Amino acid sequence: MDYRIAIIKGDGIGPEIVDATLLVLDKVGKEYGHTFKYEYLLAGGAALDDSGEPLPEKTIKECKDSDAVLLGAVGDPKWDGQPGNKRPEAAILGLREALGLFANLRPAMVYDELAFACPLKPEIIEGGLNIMIVRELTGGIYFGKRGTEVIGGASGSGEFVDHLRGEKTLPSGRFAYDVEQYTEFEIKRIAHVAFDMAMKRNKNVMSVDKANVLDSSRLWRAVMEEVHAEYPEVKLDHMYVDNAAQQLIKNPKQFDVIVTSNMFGDILSDEASQITGSIGMLPSASLGEGAFGLYEPIHGSAPKYAGMDRANPVATILSAAMMLRYSLGLGKEADAVEKAVEDYLAAGYRTPDIMTEGKIPVGTMECGRQIAALV
Ligand code: IPM
Ligand code: MG
């Protein structure tokens, strides 16, 4: 079959890791008789350089007209200090919103071959670690009301009633706020994603919130319980986010699926990726209502390694596998890519980030070629 894939290479190491991944996708096409048509699009720093806009309309439109989006990485320190809407990150947030990608799947697993890289004591991860973080992606504080004001003084807006803290006025000076907010609708739909995911895994969901302090978390917890009633086979537990941050280090094997808000998911998914010790190996999927999705490695654009042919493309290759599985319905092909990655590791190939003595050094493109050959 023919598939149309929007390709956003992005900034830093983005172009290289995507190029290496396309070698693998092309091989999948050849082996299984599919044609992947690539539509190359700009977003992030590359788009800012090109047009002054981090997320051009054309990119959004072409993404919508595709079966899936594969993204390398966006971000470039060159744009640090710019206002929020003129930073590369605005492209990521804009894409998530414009494409309705409310569910972010971030697996954190440890490969046997790379278990030594895990910074935790061996006994803590013995027997394998495989967590799926389901992060709500288009709500919460990321998309709540925000603003910066000056209270009092010459340029100030005068008296500002602080509804949040119940005070009548705030002391004069600058004031900024970002509101954490969730609707029942948003919590329900992410809950379904988490429970459906758990049904395909170990039927264990940990919902992470801050219900001892936040109203939005109390609603989150209540709605999780309500949706849970539809999944009697799944075990649901709740944990406060600060405790979850500790438990991820102390006993990460207790987790199967973690479901949490946008902000908490941002932080916990970075923490979880770090305990696997191989951030260059972890993929992610961002999904909406239908099959359409956006796939990207969880790591960033690593500008200091750009163009050096040393970045690890495996996270992007595994993201492409998720794309085959979730957006294109090609489960067999996705399995083949994941198996090829395992075989590649077993054969001893290593990019610099995971290199150890006695292994075979490869660069970004060679990694892509080897994995493609193993598909
Ligand atoms: C991520 C990133 C983004 C986020 C940034 C780049 C906007 O940290 O995907 O986790 O905070 O969601
Ligand atoms: Mg993040």
Side-chain angles (χ1 to χ4, degrees):
M1 234 176 98
D2 283 14
Y3 299 95
R4 197 183 131 105
I5 302 169
I7 304 283
I8 300 173
K9 293 187 179 184
D11 309 317
I13 57 171
E16 305 159 61
I17 54 178
V18 169
D19 285 342
T21 301
L22 297 186
L23 297 177
V24 178
L25 274 179
D26 286 340
K27 180 68 185 306
V28 168
K30 225 167 114 196
E31 287 292 320
Y32 293 86
H34 307 299
T35 307
F36 300 117
K37 279 197 57 206
Y38 306 128
E39 198 67 49
Y40 295 96
L41 303 168
L42 293 177
L48 280 161
D49 281 335
D50 183 67
S51 64
E53 288 300 324
L55 183 59
E57 271 306 317
K58 172 170 187 268
T59 297
I60 297 177
K61 183 184 173 298
E62 299 283 338
C63 285
K64 283 184 178 164
D65 288 343
S66 303
D67 294 306
V69 185
L70 182 68
L71 186 144
V74 302
D76 187 332
K78 181 171 149 191
W79 307 96
D80 282 357
Q82 294 298 309
N85 60 352
K86 292 286 173 200
R87 292 178 57 96
E89 290 81 358
I92 294 281
L93 299 173
L95 276 170
R96 289 172 184 167
E97 192 178 30
L99 304 175
L101 305 171
F102 65 86
N104 187 210
L105 311 183
R106 298 190 168 187
M109 64 261 181
V110 174
Y111 285 87
D112 291 347
E113 294 272 347
L114 303 176
F116 69 88
C118 167
L120 303 177
K121 288 189 191 128
E123 58 268 28
I124 296 181
I125 59 151
E126 198 167 12
L129 176 75
N130 188 340
I131 303 172
M132 178 66 87
I133 297 188
V134 177
R135 169 189 176 192
E136 198 291 325
L137 203 57
T138 52
I141 195 168
Y142 273 63
F143 291 92
K145 185 170 157 61
R146 65 167 46 99
T148 306
E149 318 208 358
V150 183
I151 298 160
S155 54
S157 50
E159 188 174 272
F160 187 95
V161 180
D162 187 351
H163 299 287
L164 300 177
R165 282 178 287 191
E167 290 165 14
K168 187 112 186 70
T169 60
L170 288 171
S172 65
R174 285 171 299 169
F175 166 61
Y177 57 93
D178 304 86
V179 177
E180 172 77 348
Q181 55 182 55
Y182 270 107
T183 61
E184 176 178 356
F185 170 80
E186 289 170 318
I187 304 168
K188 256 190 189 148
R189 66 180 179 180
I190 197 70
H192 279 289
V193 173
F195 289 121
D196 287 339
M197 180 62 65
M199 285 300 289
K200 294 184 218 146
R201 296 173 47 107
N202 293 327
K203 302 197 167 85
N204 205 320
V205 171
M206 181 64 77
S207 172
V208 172
D209 61 39
K210 189 72 185 172
N212 50 346
V213 178
L214 306 176
D215 259 28
S216 53
S217 280
R218 286 188 273 272
L219 180 64
W220 180 279
R221 205 171 261 227
V223 175
M224 282 292 154
E225 286 291 344
E226 288 158 24
V227 177
H228 178 224
E230 296 171 39
Y231 298 84
E233 283 177 55
V234 178
K235 183 166 175 288
L236 170 69
D237 291 292
H238 305 276
M239 202 177 255
Y240 297 140
V241 63
D242 46 352
N243 185 26
Q246 294 189 60
Q247 294 299 324
L248 269 172
I249 306 284
K250 200 174 161 195
N251 179 17
K253 279 191 300 189
Q254 69 185 289
F255 299 111
D256 174 24
V257 173
I258 292 177
V259 61
T260 191
S261 65
N262 205 343
M263 183 69 164
F264 297 159
D266 179 45
I267 300 166
L268 293 181
S269 63
D270 262 30
E271 184 185 358
S273 70
Q274 204 57 48
I275 65 175
T276 71
S278 36
I279 187 158
M281 306 282 299
L282 300 175
S284 79
S286 302
L287 306 172
E289 279 316 337
F292 180 84
L294 179 147
Y295 301 83
E296 57 177 325
I298 63 144
H299 61 71
S301 59
K304 70 176 175 196
Y305 296 130
M308 292 169 69
D309 192 46
R310 58 165 290 156
N312 189 346
V314 169
T316 317
I317 292 170
L318 291 173
S319 301
M322 291 182 96
M323 174 180 83
L324 293 169
R325 178 174 296 121
Y326 294 121
S327 283
L328 310 186
L330 303 175
K332 200 165 49 146
E333 289 81 343
D335 292 344
V337 172
E338 285 164 358
K339 175 76 171 40
V341 168
E342 279 168 29
D343 292 347
Y344 155 92
L345 289 173
Y349 297 110
R350 299 287 186 272
T351 41
D353 56 314
I354 52 171
M355 188 63 192
T356 46
E357 227 186 292
K359 300 296 178 189
I360 311 162
V362 290
T364 308
M365 286 310 276
E366 184 58 19
C367 168
R369 277 191 288 272
Q370 291 296 343
I371 294 173
L374 289 162
V375 170

